[in-house]
Amino acid sequence: MTDGQHGHRDPAGRAAQGPGRRQVLRYGAATAGALGVATLPDAVPAVAAGRRQGWSVAVLGAGVGGLTAAHELAERGYQVTVYERKALGGKARSIPVPGTGTGGRRDLPGEHGHRGVFGFYHNLPDTLRRIPYPGNVHGVHDNLTSVPWIAFARDDGRADLPIPTTPFEGRTLDVDALRRMLVGAVQQLFHLPLHEAAFFARQLAILMTSSRERAFGQWEHVKWLDFLAVEGKSTEYEKLFGGGAQVIQALKPEDASSRTCGQGVEAILFSLLQRGTDGPSNRIFNGPTSEAWIDPWARHLRSLGVRFAMDHTVDALELSGGRITAARAATPAGPVRIEADWFVAAVPAERARALWSAPIRAADRRLAGMDRLRTTWSHGIQYFLRRPVPVVQGHVAYIDSPWSLVSVSQSQFWRSDFPRTWGDGQARDSFSVVVSDWDAPGALYGKPAKRCTRQEIAAEVWAQMKAALEDTGRTYLPDDVLHSWFLDPAVSGTGGPEPANDEPYLLNDAGSWEHRPDAATAIPNLFLAADYVRTYSNVDFTSMETANEAGRRAANALLDAAGSDAGRVRLFAGYRPPEFEAAKLLDATRYRLGLPHILDTPWPLP
């Protein structure tokens, strides 16, 4: 039985405690009379999030961050209600294609994009292990399957480069894959000038041996392309290191901070080396994300007493006496007023900052800094194919594609037989692609994705993949294999004057760390749980891992504010290579003295 089923006890066996009357009065006295807002009209019904005084929690948003906070708090005895405007899981959910299932099959499974669970994730895997799943010893975590390869595809006649993401030890050696890897390495890497490769290696070494002080004080404010000195370098250098191989889609090289990009490169590198990892360096679920993860999670949360209120679009928060007294939401039945003792705002950045009224911003001035956070487009299109097309047993990054594409033939990793389970029985494969650059002109129509119709986007992505995969004479994507396609419905109005995106991603651009708040706010009963929240355990770029960590931190902050003696939520530290500690200590001293990194010296011209 879980802790929640044992009557809300922490690992030491102590009963979890909600805030006592003295605590509530102390919080109120500390901020009494600070600021207030107008109340709602009497006609608006009130919705209570719980019954026991001091124990009710309203989680606003059902993405990974919100569901994580709900999970942790419900296990510790809190009465949690989650309010969501769309569907459980947020951007991590699957999106069934309406009306495509026939003969008792389920609708074809759409996604926001391929779903990767990297080896350097630690917080998220811990949650996955704690979600029961029939027949699985380790719960939903056992629904993850290793992705053994990633391929870098070019469209200039050079062989593609497949790279193993798991050690060869313990698995059969694929001779053909090994041959392709060697041929691709020779044909691709020898096009890169040696002095440019050495320069990139030097820059990466600087980032990996920089102190935390320099990372946040200097590299956070330098754009990745500037740090790599892309201007003046070869086209090959720019494509390889400046963004063509964009495995982490929400990081845009032209805007992202060097600290964040370096953090991602370092995490992936050590994950490939199997140092400090939770498991294989790259995994995906063995079925559509919602079926393999989100739906079982919702069932488990309901078993812990969590309630879900769907079709609730939260549009305002009330502040009175220095505390949030209610949230307001629009529903199909009309406006409602949500009452609770504690509030966890788990909506994305662009929606959260719309909730920060002038009084709320005055109560916590850091929330106003969120106005400077930017978002980006990074969305998926699925091609459903009449026969399986396993280009490679893993992901493919299309380095030369104008729209920075990454794909994966998903169903080769799925447990269920595709044509018997989904669709009309004619579709046999789900080929999932993420489009990360919506502003660059395409190769087929010469227009950015935002300016293309949905049909043009589907044709353009297909053409860009064929240009990379079939430039050496081998046919991977014959046109007759295409059954249908499905573009993320969050994107709308493309091809028209006002393209829109209902679910953008946070952009980790240079300097954005300073504008990101922590999970605890200056308002004592308001907490934040989304991927824009500062995270410290492992990585902090937009991902399911950071959203999960933010939810954990929000739960801990609430427990602290409540004076609870329940066990705190575990936070997992990222890997720190011991070999670099001495170099980082030296660099911390140099940074305090105003000196550059010891390796940061003028680079000789070739």
Side-chain angles (χ1 to χ4, degrees):
M1 299 179 72
T2 65
D3 290 342
Q5 293 170 317
H6 273 298
H8 329 306
R9 293 183 178 273
D10 66 17
R14 298 169 299 183
Q17 298 295 317
R21 181 173 180 272
R22 290 183 180 179
Q23 290 170 317
V24 173
L25 292 175
R26 185 171 70 249
Y27 294 140
T31 54
L35 291 163
V37 295
T39 59
L40 286 171
D42 293 337
V44 178
V47 180
R51 295 187 181 90
R52 290 183 294 170
Q53 179 70 27
W55 286 78
S56 64
V57 181
V59 175
L60 313 177
V64 173
L67 294 181
T68 300
H71 189 162
E72 301 297 348
L73 292 170
E75 282 192 344
R76 289 157 177 80
Y78 284 82
Q79 297 170 325
V80 181
T81 302
V82 179
Y83 299 86
E84 169 57 38
R85 70 186 181 101
K86 274 191 173 181
L88 302 182
K91 288 188 281 288
R93 74 188 189 278
S94 302
I95 311 171
V97 186
T100 56
T102 64
R105 303 177 190 85
R106 299 193 283 273
D107 285 340
L108 289 170
E111 305 267 356
H112 283 277
H114 53 71
R115 195 74 58 220
V117 178
F118 296 107
F120 57 83
Y121 287 9
H122 290 279
N123 293 287
L124 179 64
D126 175 71
T127 295
L128 298 180
R129 291 185 176 95
R130 292 158 48 213
I131 302 171
Y133 192 90
N136 288 359
V137 175
H138 303 107
V140 162
H141 189 274
D142 286 350
N143 288 341
L144 291 176
T145 182
S146 177
V147 178
W149 292 90
I150 182 170
F152 296 97
R154 309 301 299 269
D155 61 4
D156 56 1
R158 282 180 277 174
D160 300 337
L161 174 59
I163 297 176
T165 61
T166 56
F168 280 108
E169 181 181 357
R171 65 183 175 93
T172 302
L173 177 62
D174 186 331
V175 177
D176 181 64
L178 178 61
R179 179 193 61 80
R180 291 166 57 196
M181 179 179 67
L182 295 175
V183 171
V186 170
Q187 291 191 7
Q188 291 199 32
L189 298 181
F190 275 84
H191 281 72
L192 181 68
L194 182 60
H195 70 277
E196 292 185 352
F199 176 77
F200 174 78
R202 195 280 298 264
Q203 295 302 94
L204 187 58
I206 288 175
L207 287 177
M208 295 175 70
T209 57
S210 286
S211 61
R212 181 176 178 84
E213 293 88 344
R214 189 182 301 279
F216 284 91
Q218 183 176 358
W219 306 135
E220 167 65 21
H221 304 278
V222 178
K223 294 181 179 180
W224 181 240
L225 293 190
D226 292 338
F227 180 78
L228 295 183
V230 168
E231 187 175 355
K233 298 288 194 303
S234 66
T235 301
E236 191 73 6
Y237 178 90
E238 179 180 359
K239 287 184 176 181
L240 285 175
F241 303 134
Q246 192 168 322
V247 179
I248 300 174
Q249 279 70 46
L251 292 180
K252 307 300 181 187
E254 63 273 18
D255 295 303
S257 79
S258 298
R259 179 191 67 82
T260 305
C261 285
Q263 179 191 74
V265 172
E266 181 177 358
I268 291 173
L269 175 61
F270 285 121
S271 182
L272 288 171
L273 295 173
Q274 288 292 286
R275 299 189 66 175
T277 62
D278 174 82
S281 61
N282 190 11
R283 295 161 289 182
I284 65 172
F285 288 100
N286 61 9
T289 311
S290 286
E291 295 183 22
W293 170 25
I294 302 300
D295 294 344
W297 201 3
R299 288 193 294 270
H300 180 56
L301 294 182
R302 288 189 177 97
S303 75
L304 295 176
V306 175
R307 296 186 297 170
F308 295 99
M310 307 306 294
D311 297 319
H312 280 61
T313 301
V314 177
D315 52 26
L317 298 174
E318 296 181 28
L319 182 71
S320 180
R323 295 175 67 84
I324 301 298
T325 53
R328 294 180 289 182
T331 75
V336 297
R337 185 171 183 270
I338 300 166
E339 297 178 348
D341 300 305
W342 311 95
F343 291 84
V344 178
V347 295
E350 72 279 1
R351 295 187 176 276
R353 58 193 175 205
L355 300 177
W356 311 149
S357 62
I360 288 176
R361 289 165 181 255
D364 188 341
R365 298 190 182 279
R366 288 199 58 192
L367 297 179
M370 288 180 58
D371 291 342
R372 299 184 183 182
L373 296 178
R374 299 166 58 201
T375 58
T376 185
W377 293 32
S378 185
H379 293 266
I381 180 171
Q382 281 76 47
Y383 295 92
F384 299 106
L385 309 180
R386 298 185 185 279
R387 56 183 180 272
V389 181
V391 174
V392 69
Q393 197 178 4
H395 294 91
V396 181
Y398 300 83
I399 293 178
D400 300 305
S401 62
W403 291 358
S404 297
L405 307 178
V406 177
S407 74
V408 65
S409 178
Q410 288 180 298
S411 52
Q412 65 179 310
F413 299 103
W414 289 359
R415 180 165 49 192
S416 300
D417 182 89
F418 194 93
R420 293 183 180 180
T421 308
W422 298 281
D424 59 2
Q426 300 302 309
R428 305 182 65 85
D429 194 5
S430 172
F431 199 79
S432 182
V433 190
V434 168
V435 179
S436 289
D437 193 333
W438 290 73
D439 297 302
L444 189 60
Y445 299 106
K447 297 187 294 185
K450 291 179 181 177
R451 298 302 172 189
C452 291
T453 65
R454 298 178 78 83
Q455 180 66 50
E456 288 173 338
I457 291 172
E460 179 78 60
V461 172
W462 188 260
Q464 289 184 29
M465 291 192 298
K466 285 171 70 74
L469 294 174
E470 301 182 354
D471 57 324
T472 54
R474 184 173 179 178
T475 300
Y476 282 99
L477 299 174
D479 291 339
D480 65 350
V481 79
L482 182 59
H483 172 278
S484 56
W485 54 267
F486 177 71
L487 179 62
D488 192 333
V491 173
S492 63
T494 56
E498 297 183 0
N501 186 344
D502 190 50
E503 299 184 44
Y505 287 74
L506 176 71
L507 179 62
N508 297 94
D509 57 355
S512 60
W513 176 264
E514 294 183 358
H515 311 305
R516 296 168 59 183
D518 287 304
T521 74
I523 300 171
N525 69 331
L526 175 64
F527 310 93
L528 310 178
D531 57 14
Y532 64 83
V533 173
R534 286 183 173 183
T535 52
Y536 303 88
S537 298
N538 194 2
V539 294
D540 59 62
F541 49 76
T542 305
S543 63
M544 297 183 294
E545 171 74 359
T546 51
N548 182 272
E549 182 183 336
R552 290 166 177 258
R553 290 186 178 276
N556 279 343
L558 190 155
L559 295 172
D560 290 343
S564 172
D565 60 3
R568 296 304 187 259
V569 184
R570 184 179 179 184
L571 294 166
F572 293 79
Y575 177 69
R576 291 177 60 92
E579 301 92 333
F580 295 168
E581 289 304 306
K584 289 182 178 182
L585 287 173
L586 171 63
D587 187 59
T589 300
R590 291 181 63 86
Y591 183 76
R592 286 193 293 270
L593 295 175
L595 299 174
H597 189 284
I598 196 169
L599 298 179
D600 193 6
T601 57
W603 189 257
L605 295 174

PDB file of all heavy atoms in Angstrom, residues 9-23:
ATOM      1  N   ARG A   9       0.860   9.152   6.103  1.00  0.00           N
ATOM      2  CA  ARG A   9       2.019   9.124   6.985  1.00  0.00           C
ATOM      3  C   ARG A   9       3.285   9.289   6.173  1.00  0.00           C
ATOM      4  O   ARG A   9       3.383   8.854   5.029  1.00  0.00           O
ATOM      5  CB  ARG A   9       2.070   7.815   7.780  1.00  0.00           C
ATOM      6  CG  ARG A   9       0.910   7.710   8.771  1.00  0.00           C
ATOM      7  CD  ARG A   9       0.988   6.455   9.614  1.00  0.00           C
ATOM      8  NE  ARG A   9      -0.094   6.432  10.569  1.00  0.00           N
ATOM      9  CZ  ARG A   9      -0.037   7.003  11.769  1.00  0.00           C
ATOM     10  NH1 ARG A   9       1.051   7.639  12.136  1.00  0.00           N
ATOM     11  NH2 ARG A   9      -1.060   6.968  12.581  1.00  0.00           N
ATOM     12  N   ASP A  10       4.269   9.943   6.785  1.00  0.00           N
ATOM     13  CA  ASP A  10       5.546  10.124   6.114  1.00  0.00           C
ATOM     14  C   ASP A  10       6.391   8.862   6.318  1.00  0.00           C
ATOM     15  O   ASP A  10       5.978   7.930   6.998  1.00  0.00           O
ATOM     16  CB  ASP A  10       6.252  11.386   6.630  1.00  0.00           C
ATOM     17  CG  ASP A  10       6.659  11.270   8.093  1.00  0.00           C
ATOM     18  OD1 ASP A  10       6.695  10.141   8.612  1.00  0.00           O
ATOM     19  OD2 ASP A  10       6.964  12.312   8.702  1.00  0.00           O
ATOM     20  N   PRO A  11       7.574   8.820   5.685  1.00  0.00           N
ATOM     21  CA  PRO A  11       8.386   7.605   5.814  1.00  0.00           C
ATOM     22  C   PRO A  11       8.730   7.222   7.237  1.00  0.00           C
ATOM     23  O   PRO A  11       9.007   6.053   7.531  1.00  0.00           O
ATOM     24  CB  PRO A  11       9.641   7.954   4.999  1.00  0.00           C
ATOM     25  CG  PRO A  11       9.155   8.938   3.987  1.00  0.00           C
ATOM     26  CD  PRO A  11       8.122   9.749   4.713  1.00  0.00           C
ATOM     27  N   ALA A  12       8.700   8.181   8.155  1.00  0.00           N
ATOM     28  CA  ALA A  12       9.021   7.870   9.546  1.00  0.00           C
ATOM     29  C   ALA A  12       7.805   7.398  10.327  1.00  0.00           C
ATOM     30  O   ALA A  12       7.891   7.096  11.508  1.00  0.00           O
ATOM     31  CB  ALA A  12       9.623   9.110  10.233  1.00  0.00           C
ATOM     32  N   GLY A  13       6.642   7.377   9.652  1.00  0.00           N
ATOM     33  CA  GLY A  13       5.445   6.886  10.304  1.00  0.00           C
ATOM     34  C   GLY A  13       4.649   7.949  11.030  1.00  0.00           C
ATOM     35  O   GLY A  13       3.660   7.658  11.683  1.00  0.00           O
ATOM     36  N   ARG A  14       5.066   9.222  10.890  1.00  0.00           N
ATOM     37  CA  ARG A  14       4.349  10.284  11.579  1.00  0.00           C
ATOM     38  C   ARG A  14       3.140  10.710  10.768  1.00  0.00           C
ATOM     39  O   ARG A  14       3.196  10.775   9.544  1.00  0.00           O
ATOM     40  CB  ARG A  14       5.265  11.492  11.792  1.00  0.00           C
ATOM     41  CG  ARG A  14       6.468  11.198  12.666  1.00  0.00           C
ATOM     42  CD  ARG A  14       7.464  12.333  12.610  1.00  0.00           C
ATOM     43  NE  ARG A  14       7.958  12.527  11.262  1.00  0.00           N
ATOM     44  CZ  ARG A  14       8.881  13.421  10.944  1.00  0.00           C
ATOM     45  NH1 ARG A  14       9.393  14.197  11.869  1.00  0.00           N
ATOM     46  NH2 ARG A  14       9.283  13.535   9.696  1.00  0.00           N
ATOM     47  N   ALA A  15       2.067  11.053  11.427  1.00  0.00           N
ATOM     48  CA  ALA A  15       0.877  11.518  10.715  1.00  0.00           C
ATOM     49  C   ALA A  15       1.148  12.889  10.131  1.00  0.00           C
ATOM     50  O   ALA A  15       1.717  13.759  10.775  1.00  0.00           O
ATOM     51  CB  ALA A  15      -0.318  11.585  11.673  1.00  0.00           C
ATOM     52  N   ALA A  16       0.721  13.077   8.874  1.00  0.00           N
ATOM     53  CA  ALA A  16       0.887  14.388   8.238  1.00  0.00           C
ATOM     54  C   ALA A  16      -0.081  15.370   8.871  1.00  0.00           C
ATOM     55  O   ALA A  16      -1.228  15.040   9.159  1.00  0.00           O
ATOM     56  CB  ALA A  16       0.616  14.262   6.736  1.00  0.00           C
ATOM     57  N   GLN A  17       0.386  16.587   9.074  1.00  0.00           N
ATOM     58  CA  GLN A  17      -0.425  17.595   9.730  1.00  0.00           C
ATOM     59  C   GLN A  17      -0.724  18.752   8.788  1.00  0.00           C
ATOM     60  O   GLN A  17       0.143  19.207   8.062  1.00  0.00           O
ATOM     61  CB  GLN A  17       0.322  18.150  10.962  1.00  0.00           C
ATOM     62  CG  GLN A  17       0.606  17.099  12.020  1.00  0.00           C
ATOM     63  CD  GLN A  17      -0.647  16.550  12.641  1.00  0.00           C
ATOM     64  OE1 GLN A  17      -1.570  17.288  12.946  1.00  0.00           O
ATOM     65  NE2 GLN A  17      -0.694  15.246  12.832  1.00  0.00           N
ATOM     66  N   GLY A  18      -1.949  19.189   8.778  1.00  0.00           N
ATOM     67  CA  GLY A  18      -2.309  20.406   8.055  1.00  0.00           C
ATOM     68  C   GLY A  18      -1.983  21.608   8.923  1.00  0.00           C
ATOM     69  O   GLY A  18      -1.551  21.484  10.073  1.00  0.00           O
ATOM     70  N   PRO A  19      -2.178  22.809   8.416  1.00  0.00           N
ATOM     71  CA  PRO A  19      -1.870  24.002   9.197  1.00  0.00           C
ATOM     72  C   PRO A  19      -2.851  24.172  10.349  1.00  0.00           C
ATOM     73  O   PRO A  19      -4.060  24.016  10.178  1.00  0.00           O
ATOM     74  CB  PRO A  19      -2.012  25.134   8.163  1.00  0.00           C
ATOM     75  CG  PRO A  19      -2.979  24.591   7.161  1.00  0.00           C
ATOM     76  CD  PRO A  19      -2.717  23.124   7.097  1.00  0.00           C
ATOM     77  N   GLY A  20      -2.332  24.442  11.510  1.00  0.00           N
ATOM     78  CA  GLY A  20      -3.191  24.679  12.657  1.00  0.00           C
ATOM     79  C   GLY A  20      -3.759  26.082  12.651  1.00  0.00           C
ATOM     80  O   GLY A  20      -3.373  26.937  11.870  1.00  0.00           O
ATOM     81  N   ARG A  21      -4.698  26.336  13.565  1.00  0.00           N
ATOM     82  CA  ARG A  21      -5.353  27.646  13.626  1.00  0.00           C
ATOM     83  C   ARG A  21      -4.344  28.749  13.884  1.00  0.00           C
ATOM     84  O   ARG A  21      -4.392  29.815  13.286  1.00  0.00           O
ATOM     85  CB  ARG A  21      -6.425  27.619  14.724  1.00  0.00           C
ATOM     86  CG  ARG A  21      -7.191  28.930  14.873  1.00  0.00           C
ATOM     87  CD  ARG A  21      -8.344  28.767  15.858  1.00  0.00           C
ATOM     88  NE  ARG A  21      -9.075  29.999  16.007  1.00  0.00           N
ATOM     89  CZ  ARG A  21      -8.775  30.957  16.872  1.00  0.00           C
ATOM     90  NH1 ARG A  21      -7.698  30.803  17.647  1.00  0.00           N
ATOM     91  NH2 ARG A  21      -9.495  32.060  16.958  1.00  0.00           N
ATOM     92  N   ARG A  22      -3.359  28.493  14.778  1.00  0.00           N
ATOM     93  CA  ARG A  22      -2.362  29.523  15.083  1.00  0.00           C
ATOM     94  C   ARG A  22      -1.533  29.848  13.848  1.00  0.00           C
ATOM     95  O   ARG A  22      -1.179  31.005  13.605  1.00  0.00           O
ATOM     96  CB  ARG A  22      -1.451  29.049  16.208  1.00  0.00           C
ATOM     97  CG  ARG A  22      -2.155  28.973  17.564  1.00  0.00           C
ATOM     98  CD  ARG A  22      -1.174  28.560  18.644  1.00  0.00           C
ATOM     99  NE  ARG A  22      -1.826  28.481  19.941  1.00  0.00           N
ATOM    100  CZ  ARG A  22      -1.201  28.118  21.057  1.00  0.00           C
ATOM    101  NH1 ARG A  22       0.098  27.779  21.009  1.00  0.00           N
ATOM    102  NH2 ARG A  22      -1.845  28.062  22.212  1.00  0.00           N
ATOM    103  N   GLN A  23      -1.219  28.817  13.065  1.00  0.00           N
ATOM    104  CA  GLN A  23      -0.420  29.064  11.871  1.00  0.00           C
ATOM    105  C   GLN A  23      -1.186  29.936  10.878  1.00  0.00           C
ATOM    106  O   GLN A  23      -0.647  30.866  10.300  1.00  0.00           O
ATOM    107  CB  GLN A  23      -0.032  27.738  11.219  1.00  0.00           C
ATOM    108  CG  GLN A  23       0.975  26.955  12.041  1.00  0.00           C
ATOM    109  CD  GLN A  23       1.134  25.560  11.490  1.00  0.00           C
ATOM    110  OE1 GLN A  23       0.152  24.923  11.145  1.00  0.00           O
ATOM    111  NE2 GLN A  23       2.365  25.088  11.439  1.00  0.00           N
TER     112      GLN A  23
END
